[in-house]
Amino acid sequence: MLILSTVKPLEYLLGVTLYIMAISSVIAIVFGVIGGFTGISLLWYVLAIMLGTFTSLVFGSMLTIQTKNPSGAAAVVSLIAIFNGIIPTFASSSPALMKVARFWYTTQIKDLIGDMFDCYYGNIPYRLLIIGTNLAVFIVLFTVLFKKNRIAAYLKGKNTLSVFDECLADYFSGDLKKHLNELGMEKIS
């Protein structure tokens, strides 16, 4: 199992996403040419699409790493795709939803590409800041969940647990807090 190997979370993430990125870049180039982009405009279009693709892959990896089986992961990925596609569409017709959706990366990717078609580049730093913030949060969460799963898998495979392993197992099950409270330890505020 790859989770139990010594591979680092970023190595795992890149290994899972690089081939999809390669295929997506070819598709983005084809759609960019069909859309009428040429030269540097085509490059910016492809970079925007690839940024959105990578962010979606990290978001999907972050959620699917929690699933227990491949069919569960497929269901999660389908929901992610629907969610990511529908939010910008609904937000463009609902000012109330746009107040929240404007902080979601797919809304910013849609608007970024729309700005490119209008040859307006004034909002690019704002849009990249929101997309980058979403991506950074997803990478941090993916790393935490990856390491948590690795530790949980490690504990599951052990027949006898050391004192440290027992503390980890208690932490994951939620029993550590109860045990510490029984010993008279409380949260210090």
Side-chain angles (χ1 to χ4, degrees):
M1 181 177 209
L2 190 54
I3 285 285
L4 290 174
S5 71
T6 59
V7 68
K8 292 178 175 64
L10 189 60
E11 293 170 344
Y12 176 82
L13 187 63
L14 290 175
V16 168
T17 61
L18 280 179
Y19 73 95
I20 296 171
M21 294 291 291
I23 294 168
S24 296
S25 65
V26 172
I27 294 168
I29 291 169
V30 169
F31 277 109
V33 170
I34 291 171
F37 291 109
T38 59
I40 197 75
S41 296
L42 178 63
L43 176 66
W44 283 116
Y45 172 80
V46 170
L47 288 175
I49 294 292
M50 297 315 299
L51 180 60
T53 301
F54 185 68
T55 306
S56 293
L57 289 169
V58 174
F59 180 55
S61 296
M62 176 196 71
L63 295 177
T64 58
I65 200 163
Q66 291 298 101
T67 59
K68 302 297 181 211
N69 59 41
S71 61
V76 169
V77 168
S78 297
L79 287 174
I80 291 167
I82 292 168
F83 177 79
N84 280 338
I86 214 163
I87 287 296
T89 305
F90 285 162
S92 62
S93 61
S94 168
L97 183 58
M98 183 53 88
K99 289 179 182 176
V100 175
R102 68 188 178 119
F103 296 109
W104 192 245
Y105 73 97
T106 53
T107 303
Q108 294 302 322
I109 294 289
K110 178 193 76 77
D111 291 344
L112 183 64
I113 292 170
D115 290 348
M116 288 179 189
F117 273 108
D118 295 335
C119 296
Y120 176 71
Y121 298 99
N123 285 334
I124 288 179
Y126 168 77
R127 299 195 193 295
L128 291 178
L129 177 68
I130 291 175
I131 297 164
T133 302
N134 278 236
L135 180 59
V137 167
F138 298 156
I139 288 173
V140 167
L141 288 174
F142 172 81
T143 303
V144 168
L145 294 173
F146 183 91
K147 289 182 177 185
K148 179 182 174 192
N149 284 349
R150 181 181 284 176
I151 293 169
Y154 161 78
L155 291 174
K156 188 183 238 182
K158 298 213 38 164
N159 293 333
T160 57
L161 299 176
S162 68
V163 173
F164 178 74
D165 291 343
E166 285 180 14
C167 285
L168 277 175
D170 286 346
Y171 172 75
F172 285 122
S173 69
D175 291 338
L176 183 62
K177 182 177 180 180
K178 185 170 51 170
H179 179 67
L180 292 175
N181 286 337
E182 289 171 358
L183 293 174
M185 297 180 160
E186 296 179 13
K187 181 179 177 183
I188 299 172
S189 49

